[in-house]
Amino acid sequence: MAELEIVGVPFSNYVRSVRMLCEEKGAAYKLVPSLPQSPEVVAIHPAGQIPVMRHGDVALFESKAIATYIDRTFPGPKFIPDEPVAQAQVEQWVSYGNVKVDRWIMREFVVPSVFFDKAKGPDTARITASLPEIEKCCKVLDAAVAKTGHLVGTSLTYADMNVIPMLATLQNFPAGKEIVAKYPALAAYVTNVTGRPSYTNTAPPPRK
Ligand SMILES: N[C@@H](CCC(=O)N[C@@H](CS)C(=O)NCC(=O)O)C(=O)O
């Protein structure tokens, strides 16, 4: 079989989600550490985003499409179930993760907290405005994982792998940690999933 290549830098949450899937399935892969908008990435993703994937003649962009391909192509346990309701629920939580959780945690809170014009300082109004929206997301996710400790069914699926890097990143910030701590089922969920080898083995190297 051709070598599976995940192209993207390891500190990207979406790259990490796809790598977690490979680790959980026991699918061997090579990480090709390319930045967004690099020629290698633009050759596959029309918007230059990471991750992209190469596997023999197959090239794909968008993390969920990549995850579906890997889950169906490689042997090992399935993390996107075949059963139609569970499969649709994975889609549902991946979409919610991408449209709401990524938006409020990453785009409106983490990115403006970390990357800002040094002369101007961070946009505190924007960051503060994200907090009630992050709290809404955490409330929704807390209720969803309260019964089984997972978003779908009773075991880990790609829906969990999609959202966990975002929630773990949130906890690196005192305001984010404070919000997660208000939701005990969510806090336990983050602790459990981030304790898995698939998460710890995909940790990005420390930033310089
Ligand atoms: N919907 C895309 C989102 C990917 C995404 O946002 N990737 C970020 C890194 S985590 C990126 O490439 N950002 C740079 C850019 O948008 O130019 C997916 O699921 O793959």
Side-chain angles (χ1 to χ4, degrees):
M1 213 188 211
E3 184 172 43
L4 173 65
E5 294 179 299
I6 307 298
V7 182
V9 283
F11 51 82
S12 152
N13 285 340
Y14 287 109
V15 170
R16 192 168 191 175
S17 299
V18 168
R19 293 179 69 204
M20 283 179 76
L21 177 66
C22 294
E23 298 272 338
E24 292 285 349
K25 284 191 83 74
Y29 70 98
K30 180 173 139 191
L31 179 69
V32 181
S34 300
L35 285 165
Q37 311 305 334
S38 60
E40 196 158 28
V41 172
V42 170
I44 299 175
H45 197 313
Q49 291 186 314
I50 53 171
V52 298
M53 184 210 85
R54 293 189 295 245
H55 186 224
D57 292 340
V58 183
L60 288 170
F61 60 92
E62 287 295 316
S63 56
K64 174 56 176 56
I66 295 168
T68 300
Y69 174 83
I70 293 170
D71 202 44
R72 296 212 177 138
T73 305
F74 287 82
K78 282 270 178 76
F79 293 94
I80 302 173
D82 287 330
E83 194 278 313
V85 175
Q87 189 177 112
Q89 287 170 335
V90 169
E91 290 291 337
Q92 167 191 283
W93 285 114
V94 169
S95 284
Y96 181 79
N98 294 348
V99 171
K100 293 292 182 188
V101 185
D102 178 69
R103 175 181 174 196
W104 291 112
I105 291 181
M106 296 308 302
R107 311 297 140 199
E108 298 294 325
F109 177 73
V110 172
V111 171
S113 297
V114 175
F115 302 104
F116 52 84
D117 182 339
K118 291 272 180 297
K120 287 189 194 156
D123 184 344
T124 48
R126 182 177 176 192
I127 293 165
T128 305
S130 71
L131 296 175
E133 298 296 334
I134 292 173
E135 178 125 17
K136 276 189 214 164
C137 292
C138 288
K139 195 173 176 188
V140 167
L141 294 171
D142 181 70
V145 300
K147 236 192 205 159
T148 70
H150 295 285
L151 285 171
V152 179
T154 56
S155 59
L156 186 81
T157 68
Y158 189 71
D160 301 309
M161 298 176 218
N162 185 61
V163 91
I164 275 294
M166 303 171 195
L167 292 168
T169 306
L170 177 65
Q171 287 201 307
N172 292 336
F173 296 79
K177 209 175 170 73
E178 207 175 289
I179 294 175
V180 175
K182 288 190 207 168
Y183 297 97
L186 183 68
Y189 168 72
V190 177
T191 302
N192 289 340
V193 183
T194 57
R196 297 179 75 95
S198 62
Y199 186 79
T200 53
N201 291 345
T202 54
R207 281 190 193 252
K208 285 172 201 142

